[in-house]
Amino acid sequence: MPATPAWPPASTPRLFVETPLSDGASVPIEGAAANYLGNVMRLKAGDPVRLFDDQTGEWLATVADVGKRALRLTITAQLSAREDVPDLWLVAAPIKKGRIDWVAEKACELGVARLVPVITRRTIVDKLNSERLRAHMIEAAEQCGRTALPALAEPVKLDALLRDWPADRTLLFADEAGGVPLAQVAKPGSPAAILIGPEGGFTDEERAAIRAVPGAIGMSLGPRILRAETAAAAAIAIWMAAAGDWRSESR
Ligand code: SAH
């Protein structure tokens, strides 16, 4: 007897949609997503698509009909519930365009729950395109299999962030001047945030103010000065391995 082929096949397109999904629902697809499924992937009626909506998990759908500029999909089964995301925020000063996009993409892939742009004294980027950042996170989520998008906070000034810092969340401050190795202070089961500075780093005043927050821990990412984007990706990876969802066998 031939082996049953895995369904849906690994090549099945995977898309985020804003529409809340449910069994049997009919989902209209328009714009860039319709162009991708219809013209790039050349899907036909009956072909499978995987969908997630950031609310209800992941669903299998099939193409009901293909029009010139739009497609209609029908949901046929739930594939998984919405994932539990490890409770880690990345609080990062905006850096130049291509680099902050890379940070948003990697933060999503590596598993953060929330990205908080923080404006510091030496932040040189004054306009942050949140829509573009969100688009990068959506694309990363589609590719890496996430069923929950990272939340994207409004940019906040460092002093306001520190003033309103939630008492139950450990602030892991990546201090280029040195601190405790992150792997030693990342604790499973407690909400945390990693704070990364801009290209020019933090001022001494800022470093003192951050360290004065109750529950803040100045931590080190090794003896070399990393670029901000390298520091962000490295810190998330260390935290995931020590305290997040990289600790057990998966997939
Ligand atoms: N221009 C600064 C470096 C800034 S690096 C200087 O020369 O000191 C950008 C950010 O990455 C820093 O603010 C810090 O948050 C983080 N970072 C870089 N290397 C680090 C390290 N070895 N340990 C901890 N944080 C680091």
Side-chain angles (χ1 to χ4, degrees), residues 16-222:
F16 166 74
V17 289
E18 303 275 358
T19 333
L21 301 172
S22 61
D23 214 359
S26 171
V27 184
I29 305 283
E30 291 161 357
N35 182 50
Y36 171 71
L37 294 183
N39 300 325
V40 181
M41 300 302 287
R42 303 206 159 275
L43 294 194
K44 306 173 299 300
D47 284 343
V49 179
R50 289 155 65 191
L51 299 177
F52 65 104
D53 59 0
D54 189 30
Q55 309 291 330
T56 63
E58 179 164 349
W59 301 80
L60 181 61
T62 51
V63 177
D65 54 67
V66 187
K68 265 224 163 75
R69 291 208 173 77
L71 285 88
R72 185 159 285 282
L73 309 177
T74 307
I75 307 270
T76 54
Q78 184 156 28
L79 295 171
S80 63
R82 188 181 193 268
E83 68 188 302
D84 287 330
V85 182
D87 198 354
L88 177 67
W89 298 358
L90 174 65
V91 183
I95 48 175
K96 285 183 203 144
K97 192 170 159 186
R99 296 183 183 273
I100 188 73
D101 294 345
W102 189 89
V103 168
E105 180 183 287
K106 299 312 160 201
C108 177
E109 285 176 54
L110 294 168
V112 306
R114 184 181 179 87
L115 175 60
V116 183
V118 60
I119 313 299
T120 67
R121 283 283 298 282
R122 296 188 182 140
T123 301
I124 51 172
V125 176
D126 51 26
K127 258 194 260 109
L128 191 70
N129 186 334
S130 298
E131 226 167 273
R132 196 189 69 225
L133 279 192
R134 187 170 141 85
H136 279 279
M137 294 201 294
I138 289 174
E139 210 177 310
E142 288 174 340
Q143 169 270 324
C144 76
R146 275 184 80 140
T147 54
L149 296 177
L152 177 59
E154 287 294 316
V156 57
K157 290 202 167 129
L158 181 66
D159 52 0
L161 177 95
L162 299 180
R163 198 177 52 231
D164 301 334
W165 191 256
D168 64 342
R169 186 170 296 274
T170 308
L171 181 57
L172 299 167
F173 162 41
D175 189 348
E176 65 267 29
V180 200
L182 175 55
Q184 287 175 20
V185 287
K187 291 265 178 316
S190 74
I194 290 166
L195 173 61
I196 306 282
E199 289 92 337
F202 292 101
T203 65
D204 287 345
E205 266 177 4
E206 287 177 330
R207 296 180 47 250
I210 299 164
R211 282 176 174 269
V213 170
I217 301 176
M219 57 84 172
S220 159
L221 299 169

